[in-house]
Amino acid sequence: METIRSLFARPIDRKIEEVIKVDQANEQTVLNELEEYIVTDSIREHFRLAYDEIIQVSKSPREGIGIWISGFFGSGKSSFAKILGYTVAAIPVCERSASEIFKENVKDTKISGLLEIINRTLPTEAVIFDVSMDRGVRTANERITEIMYKALLRELDYAEDFDLAELEITLEGDGKLDEFRQRFKEIHGNPWRVRRKVGTGINEASAVLHAMESKTFPYADSYAKSLGKGRADINPNSLAQRAFELTARRKQGKTLIFIIDEVGQYVSRSVEKMLDLQAVVQAFGKEGKNRVEQKTAVSPFWIVVTSQEKLNEIVDALDSKKIELARLQDRFRIPIDLKQSDIPEITGKRVLDKKKEAKARLEALYDANEGRLKPLCMLERTSRDVSINTKVFAHLY
């Protein structure tokens, strides 16, 4: 007996994630998202624009290296941003490249060509995170600068504690980090990479530094006491410099793209946070332009953020600093606004897409019963277009 299940192009009992998480680590889930991503005409143009700009700016660097992705709740901002990062970085997904999977899905010659150029000439590492997640936010007042630095350290496999990261960076620069790790294992019996995450990490590191360099650290707690109550600080300019320097150390020859979800929600109605975001994008733009021109970097580093509101709407709401924040729009040179009108097409295709022969069967079913179906599908007192025809019936069945 034929069932409704047999009409659909994809299994109707497969799991579809209700909320897209930008830092999703499960490869099978990522594969499903790439294979099932629906590319409308407007979304296709947005991807073409973003990929083309990444290539052009690597050739003719400029300070505007931000992409602001806005859209109504459910419009697919997080999906767009995440797939942009995955494909530019060509991350491995179930033994394949994310860009190859996406190219097979989108079937667009221009997008495929642009991606091939990026993957071949601009090897990229993607730093992808949700700014609102607890693991990325120490306090409610934490700056974007600090959140980005922590994400950068995590991606490059440094300690996320700023003081311990500073120690690792210094030891690495002096060529002593490997010795430190070896001594740490000998003294404490556990790897440094594990113990740096615990509360006693600073004290344990202090004992190792004393064993390594007793003249500089005469006591086992010398290093721990030298930190006092403060912590290594980071500002927008030093963050940009550090990003290029540390990437050159641990991801030599690569460029970075930051994908930061829910930035609009985090910075809206806060002049201080917006000014901090402006300073970060400005610092990365200036540092990247200089380094590419000096041929010490292959490309500027990109900063891609998502927001329910357009950038100009957020700036207009902050009257006291509107003039200063107007510069922020120059830094985010690529505004991408995802259409609310795309939502029905995307959900319809992803959830209700039918097999070719099933569509023909449903269209014939409608034609044979049009007189009975039309009155049943009418809604009164609504401004929405609820008219039904052969194609709509087959699409929404």
Side-chain angles (χ1 to χ4, degrees), residues 172-191:
E172 188 175 53
D174 293 340
K176 297 178 180 179
L177 184 55
D178 288 340
E179 180 190 352
F180 173 83
R181 290 170 175 163
Q182 184 178 342
R183 289 283 196 102
F184 191 96
K185 183 73 180 294
E186 292 170 358
I187 293 172
H188 297 295
N190 289 302

mmCIF file of all heavy atoms in Angstrom, residues 172-191:
data_model
loop_
_atom_site.group_PDB
_atom_site.id
_atom_site.type_symbol
_atom_site.label_atom_id
_atom_site.label_comp_id
_atom_site.label_asym_id
_atom_site.label_seq_id
_atom_site.Cartn_x
_atom_site.Cartn_y
_atom_site.Cartn_z
ATOM 1 N N GLU A 172 57.024 30.057 24.469
ATOM 2 C CA GLU A 172 57.109 29.627 23.072
ATOM 3 C C GLU A 172 58.043 30.549 22.294
ATOM 4 O O GLU A 172 58.862 30.093 21.485
ATOM 5 C CB GLU A 172 55.709 29.638 22.460
ATOM 6 C CG GLU A 172 55.621 29.034 21.066
ATOM 7 C CD GLU A 172 54.183 28.961 20.578
ATOM 8 O OE1 GLU A 172 53.490 30.001 20.607
ATOM 9 O OE2 GLU A 172 53.740 27.869 20.176
ATOM 10 N N GLY A 173 57.937 31.854 22.531
ATOM 11 C CA GLY A 173 58.811 32.800 21.863
ATOM 12 C C GLY A 173 60.279 32.613 22.226
ATOM 13 O O GLY A 173 61.171 32.855 21.403
ATOM 14 N N ASP A 174 60.526 32.148 23.469
ATOM 15 C CA ASP A 174 61.898 31.905 23.935
ATOM 16 C C ASP A 174 62.386 30.498 23.603
ATOM 17 O O ASP A 174 63.513 30.128 23.956
ATOM 18 C CB ASP A 174 61.994 32.123 25.446
ATOM 19 C CG ASP A 174 61.777 33.579 25.842
ATOM 20 O OD1 ASP A 174 61.935 34.449 24.964
ATOM 21 O OD2 ASP A 174 61.440 33.835 27.013
ATOM 22 N N GLY A 175 61.510 29.701 22.958
ATOM 23 C CA GLY A 175 61.890 28.329 22.623
ATOM 24 C C GLY A 175 61.923 27.389 23.812
ATOM 25 O O GLY A 175 62.613 26.367 23.788
ATOM 26 N N LYS A 176 61.160 27.699 24.857
ATOM 27 C CA LYS A 176 61.209 26.905 26.089
ATOM 28 C C LYS A 176 59.883 26.215 26.429
ATOM 29 O O LYS A 176 59.763 25.588 27.477
ATOM 30 C CB LYS A 176 61.617 27.796 27.271
ATOM 31 C CG LYS A 176 63.014 28.386 27.138
ATOM 32 C CD LYS A 176 63.336 29.292 28.316
ATOM 33 C CE LYS A 176 64.740 29.886 28.178
ATOM 34 N NZ LYS A 176 65.049 30.794 29.308
ATOM 35 N N LEU A 177 58.889 26.332 25.565
ATOM 36 C CA LEU A 177 57.572 25.775 25.894
ATOM 37 C C LEU A 177 57.605 24.257 25.965
ATOM 38 O O LEU A 177 56.997 23.649 26.864
ATOM 39 C CB LEU A 177 56.527 26.232 24.873
ATOM 40 C CG LEU A 177 55.088 25.792 25.142
ATOM 41 C CD1 LEU A 177 54.623 26.224 26.528
ATOM 42 C CD2 LEU A 177 54.142 26.349 24.071
ATOM 43 N N ASP A 178 58.306 23.600 25.056
ATOM 44 C CA ASP A 178 58.391 22.132 25.083
ATOM 45 C C ASP A 178 59.070 21.654 26.356
ATOM 46 O O ASP A 178 58.643 20.658 26.962
ATOM 47 C CB ASP A 178 59.142 21.619 23.849
ATOM 48 C CG ASP A 178 58.319 21.749 22.578
ATOM 49 O OD1 ASP A 178 57.083 21.862 22.690
ATOM 50 O OD2 ASP A 178 58.906 21.751 21.480
ATOM 51 N N GLU A 179 60.137 22.347 26.759
ATOM 52 C CA GLU A 179 60.817 21.981 28.013
ATOM 53 C C GLU A 179 59.881 22.154 29.198
ATOM 54 O O GLU A 179 59.839 21.314 30.101
ATOM 55 C CB GLU A 179 62.055 22.855 28.208
ATOM 56 C CG GLU A 179 62.810 22.530 29.494
ATOM 57 C CD GLU A 179 63.893 23.546 29.834
ATOM 58 O OE1 GLU A 179 64.167 24.435 29.000
ATOM 59 O OE2 GLU A 179 64.453 23.453 30.952
ATOM 60 N N PHE A 180 59.122 23.244 29.198
ATOM 61 C CA PHE A 180 58.165 23.494 30.278
ATOM 62 C C PHE A 180 57.141 22.356 30.364
ATOM 63 O O PHE A 180 56.840 21.851 31.449
ATOM 64 C CB PHE A 180 57.457 24.827 30.043
ATOM 65 C CG PHE A 180 56.323 25.104 30.999
ATOM 66 C CD1 PHE A 180 56.568 25.635 32.263
ATOM 67 C CD2 PHE A 180 55.004 24.838 30.637
ATOM 68 C CE1 PHE A 180 55.521 25.886 33.146
ATOM 69 C CE2 PHE A 180 53.959 25.081 31.514
ATOM 70 C CZ PHE A 180 54.228 25.610 32.766
ATOM 71 N N ARG A 181 56.605 21.943 29.224
ATOM 72 C CA ARG A 181 55.617 20.854 29.223
ATOM 73 C C ARG A 181 56.212 19.558 29.748
ATOM 74 O O ARG A 181 55.575 18.824 30.517
ATOM 75 C CB ARG A 181 55.087 20.650 27.802
ATOM 76 C CG ARG A 181 54.190 21.764 27.285
ATOM 77 C CD ARG A 181 53.938 21.586 25.805
ATOM 78 N NE ARG A 181 52.987 22.554 25.265
ATOM 79 C CZ ARG A 181 52.850 22.819 23.977
ATOM 80 N NH1 ARG A 181 53.596 22.177 23.087
ATOM 81 N NH2 ARG A 181 51.968 23.715 23.559
ATOM 82 N N GLN A 182 57.449 19.273 29.336
ATOM 83 C CA GLN A 182 58.103 18.048 29.775
ATOM 84 C C GLN A 182 58.357 18.078 31.278
ATOM 85 O O GLN A 182 58.090 17.101 31.990
ATOM 86 C CB GLN A 182 59.424 17.873 29.022
ATOM 87 C CG GLN A 182 60.142 16.569 29.339
ATOM 88 C CD GLN A 182 61.431 16.427 28.535
ATOM 89 O OE1 GLN A 182 61.623 17.117 27.532
ATOM 90 N NE2 GLN A 182 62.311 15.549 28.985
ATOM 91 N N ARG A 183 58.881 19.200 31.769
ATOM 92 C CA ARG A 183 59.144 19.339 33.208
ATOM 93 C C ARG A 183 57.839 19.261 34.006
ATOM 94 O O ARG A 183 57.804 18.690 35.093
ATOM 95 C CB ARG A 183 59.814 20.689 33.489
ATOM 96 C CG ARG A 183 61.251 20.795 33.005
ATOM 97 C CD ARG A 183 62.230 20.062 33.930
ATOM 98 N NE ARG A 183 63.583 20.470 33.679
ATOM 99 C CZ ARG A 183 64.266 21.323 34.424
ATOM 100 N NH1 ARG A 183 63.692 21.873 35.481
ATOM 101 N NH2 ARG A 183 65.511 21.626 34.120
ATOM 102 N N PHE A 184 56.788 19.847 33.467
ATOM 103 C CA PHE A 184 55.498 19.822 34.162
ATOM 104 C C PHE A 184 55.030 18.387 34.364
ATOM 105 O O PHE A 184 54.573 18.016 35.449
ATOM 106 C CB PHE A 184 54.457 20.612 33.354
ATOM 107 C CG PHE A 184 53.173 20.869 34.105
ATOM 108 C CD1 PHE A 184 52.979 22.065 34.761
ATOM 109 C CD2 PHE A 184 52.170 19.913 34.163
ATOM 110 C CE1 PHE A 184 51.800 22.306 35.466
ATOM 111 C CE2 PHE A 184 50.996 20.138 34.859
ATOM 112 C CZ PHE A 184 50.809 21.347 35.519
ATOM 113 N N LYS A 185 55.129 17.580 33.312
ATOM 114 C CA LYS A 185 54.706 16.167 33.401
ATOM 115 C C LYS A 185 55.556 15.423 34.428
ATOM 116 O O LYS A 185 55.042 14.598 35.199
ATOM 117 C CB LYS A 185 54.834 15.521 32.021
ATOM 118 C CG LYS A 185 54.368 14.074 31.945
ATOM 119 C CD LYS A 185 52.859 13.980 32.000
ATOM 120 C CE LYS A 185 52.369 12.544 31.932
ATOM 121 N NZ LYS A 185 52.656 11.911 30.643
ATOM 122 N N GLU A 186 56.859 15.693 34.454
ATOM 123 C CA GLU A 186 57.751 15.028 35.403
ATOM 124 C C GLU A 186 57.422 15.406 36.844
ATOM 125 O O GLU A 186 57.425 14.555 37.736
ATOM 126 C CB GLU A 186 59.204 15.400 35.098
ATOM 127 C CG GLU A 186 59.719 14.832 33.779
ATOM 128 C CD GLU A 186 61.062 15.420 33.384
ATOM 129 O OE1 GLU A 186 61.574 16.301 34.136
ATOM 130 O OE2 GLU A 186 61.607 15.024 32.333
ATOM 131 N N ILE A 187 57.138 16.678 37.080
ATOM 132 C CA ILE A 187 56.903 17.155 38.446
ATOM 133 C C ILE A 187 55.509 16.810 38.948
ATOM 134 O O ILE A 187 55.326 16.366 40.084
ATOM 135 C CB ILE A 187 57.142 18.685 38.522
ATOM 136 C CG1 ILE A 187 58.622 18.993 38.290
ATOM 137 C CG2 ILE A 187 56.673 19.255 39.857
ATOM 138 C CD1 ILE A 187 58.930 20.473 38.143
ATOM 139 N N HIS A 188 54.489 17.011 38.100
ATOM 140 C CA HIS A 188 53.101 16.865 38.555
ATOM 141 C C HIS A 188 52.427 15.575 38.095
ATOM 142 O O HIS A 188 51.337 15.241 38.572
ATOM 143 C CB HIS A 188 52.283 18.069 38.086
ATOM 144 C CG HIS A 188 52.740 19.377 38.659
ATOM 145 N ND1 HIS A 188 52.681 19.678 40.003
ATOM 146 C CD2 HIS A 188 53.307 20.471 38.064
ATOM 147 C CE1 HIS A 188 53.161 20.895 40.213
ATOM 148 N NE2 HIS A 188 53.553 21.391 39.046
ATOM 149 N N GLY A 189 53.036 14.861 37.146
ATOM 150 C CA GLY A 189 52.478 13.580 36.725
ATOM 151 C C GLY A 189 51.327 13.668 35.744
ATOM 152 O O GLY A 189 50.806 12.652 35.302
ATOM 153 N N ASN A 190 50.904 14.879 35.393
ATOM 154 C CA ASN A 190 49.806 15.076 34.442
ATOM 155 C C ASN A 190 50.241 16.062 33.355
ATOM 156 O O ASN A 190 51.085 16.932 33.601
ATOM 157 C CB ASN A 190 48.562 15.641 35.145
ATOM 158 C CG ASN A 190 47.903 14.606 36.033
ATOM 159 O OD1 ASN A 190 47.521 13.541 35.570
ATOM 160 N ND2 ASN A 190 47.784 14.920 37.320
ATOM 161 N N PRO A 191 49.674 15.948 32.152
ATOM 162 C CA PRO A 191 50.048 16.871 31.080
ATOM 163 C C PRO A 191 49.628 18.305 31.397
ATOM 164 O O PRO A 191 48.567 18.540 31.989
ATOM 165 C CB PRO A 191 49.274 16.340 29.861
ATOM 166 C CG PRO A 191 48.865 14.954 30.212
ATOM 167 C CD PRO A 191 48.705 14.930 31.691
#
